[in-house]
Amino acid sequence: MAVLVIADHNNETLSDATGKTVSAAQKIGGDVDILVAGAGCRSVAEAAAKISGVRKVLLVEAPHYEHRLAEPFAALIVSLADGYDALLKTATTTGKNVMPRVAALLDVMQISEIIDVVSPDTFVRPIYAGNAIETVQSSDKKKVITVRATAFKAAGEDGAAPIEEAPAASDPGLSSFVKEELTKSERPELTAAKIVISGGRALGSYENFEKYIFPVADKLGAAVGASRAAVDAGYVPNDYQVGQTGKVVAPELYIAVGISGAIQHLAGMKDSKVIVAINKDEEAPIFQIADYGLVGDLFKIMPELEAAL
């Protein structure tokens, strides 16, 4: 049995999520290979080769893989699929964009956002915003899987796998890269941060995020998140959103400030190791899953917290 893990990277650095997806692949069993596709990304392949338990790293470099557009990227994965029993990618934006196309081209079902592996054909995944856990058994000869990386520990980094260059697949020519606008921040990336502090609609404005949330985040070295209500109200950009329709995080410490705890938000952060909730409503659902809860006015509490830190 052989499993192919499609690496997450930006052509310069390998995402930590790749090591976690490799852990999921190793639970399936058999030989595990990693595909690194991009442009000028040999350094990424070298980093992937250090992940423990990897048989080899396939490096594919071509201009049409630089931005990992869904159509050419899916075509490449399908061209390599014959040698593998399972194809895995982290359930990131790219994974959710590419892997359904791969499944359709291979005419198999996709198994989405697994959180555990029972056997090579049986997997565990959350449904209904995480309120139910489903065990899925697939009879497809080839498994196409996305992995919720927060559910797995990263594999070690003491490997020395060989790097093999593989040919690029032809570009279907169905899409082209126009531009991207990236949010630049000195804070950690939200899904990789060990500490996350999120604000809700109770903050009332971006200025209040700046005044009450950002200073505490900077002292803690934390990433800043937000509830969907805060994002929809225009207080902060969309890439701050934590939840079912935003980013799924599982940091060591999650601080929810002025967030009531709607089911969609809980789905994105309830796997955090320690959850702290600050809310003036003692009946807020967030307190049901919080390890520590503080009932009070965030506009008084947050300056006191910053001063204490």
Side-chain angles (χ1 to χ4, degrees), residues 1 3 5 17-30 32 86 88-90 113-120 122-123 145-149 151-155:
M1 186 169 187
V3 181
V5 171
T18 301
K20 296 176 181 179
T21 304
V22 168
S23 290
Q26 290 170 342
K27 291 193 73 173
I28 294 173
V32 177
L88 272 66
K89 192 169 189 346
T90 314
E113 299 207 35
I114 66 167
I115 59 173
D116 197 8
V117 177
V118 178
S119 69
T122 307
F123 310 91
I145 299 167
T146 59
V147 176
R148 183 171 287 191
F152 295 89
K153 291 185 177 180

Side-chain angles (χ1 to χ4, degrees), residues 53-99:
V54 173
R55 178 177 64 172
K56 65 181 177 181
V57 175
L58 299 176
L59 174 61
V60 182
E61 294 188 285
H64 50 281
Y65 300 135
E66 181 177 2
H67 301 285
R68 288 163 296 287
L69 297 176
E71 291 84 1
F73 201 15
L76 170 64
I77 296 168
V78 170
S79 73
L80 297 169
D82 281 347
Y84 297 96
D85 301 286
L87 307 168
L88 272 66
K89 192 169 189 346
T90 314
T92 56
T93 303
T94 302
K96 293 176 182 179
N97 195 18
V98 172
M99 298 309 279

Side-chain angles (χ1 to χ4, degrees), residues 42 131 141 178 215 222 231 233 240 261 289:
R42 177 165 282 275
N131 280 285
K141 292 183 179 180
V178 178
V231 171
Y240 280 48
I289 66 162

Side-chain angles (χ1 to χ4, degrees), residues 150 190-192 196 242 247-251 254 268-272:
T150 55
L190 188 55
T191 55
V196 174
V242 173
K247 295 178 179 177
V248 177
V249 300
Y254 187 89
M269 47 64 72
K270 66 181 182 181
D271 290 331
S272 303

Side-chain angles (χ1 to χ4, degrees), residues 244-255:
Q244 184 180 13
T245 54
K247 295 178 179 177
V248 177
V249 300
E252 298 294 322
L253 172 62
Y254 187 89
I255 305 174

Side-chain angles (χ1 to χ4, degrees), residues 35-215:
L35 169 63
V36 175
C41 57
R42 177 165 282 275
S43 62
V44 176
E46 291 170 351
K50 295 178 182 177
I51 297 177
S52 304
V54 173
R55 178 177 64 172
K56 65 181 177 181
V57 175
L58 299 176
L59 174 61
V60 182
E61 294 188 285
H64 50 281
Y65 300 135
E66 181 177 2
H67 301 285
R68 288 163 296 287
L69 297 176
E71 291 84 1
F73 201 15
L76 170 64
I77 296 168
V78 170
S79 73
L80 297 169
D82 281 347
Y84 297 96
D85 301 286
L87 307 168
L88 272 66
K89 192 169 189 346
T90 314
T92 56
T93 303
T94 302
K96 293 176 182 179
N97 195 18
V98 172
M99 298 309 279
R101 288 174 163 86
V102 173
L105 291 168
L106 294 173
D107 194 24
V108 299
M109 65 179 283
Q110 175 177 303
I111 305 169
S112 301
E113 299 207 35
I114 66 167
I115 59 173
D116 197 8
V117 177
V118 178
S119 69
D121 67 350
T122 307
F123 310 91
V124 178
R125 61 184 295 269
I127 58 174
Y128 300 126
N131 280 285
I133 302 299
E134 178 180 61
T135 301
V136 181
Q137 186 173 43
S138 171
S139 59
D140 287 328
K141 292 183 179 180
K142 210 171 292 292
K143 313 294 189 288
V144 176
I145 299 167
T146 59
V147 176
R148 183 171 287 191
T150 55
F152 295 89
K153 291 185 177 180
E157 296 184 355
D158 58 358
I163 299 173
E164 296 181 9
E165 293 191 10
S170 59
D171 184 355
L174 298 173
S175 58
S176 60
F177 177 77
V178 178
K179 68 174 182 177
E180 63 183 0
E181 296 179 11
L182 301 176
T183 302
K184 294 184 179 180
S185 174
E186 297 298 320
R187 300 187 187 95
E189 202 276 321
L190 188 55
T191 55
K194 292 184 178 180
I195 302 174
V196 174
I197 177 167
S198 291
R201 179 162 41 195
L203 269 296
S205 67
Y206 177 77
E207 289 72 25
N208 282 338
F209 266 83
E210 284 188 311
K211 184 176 180 180
Y212 297 102
I213 301 296
F214 293 175

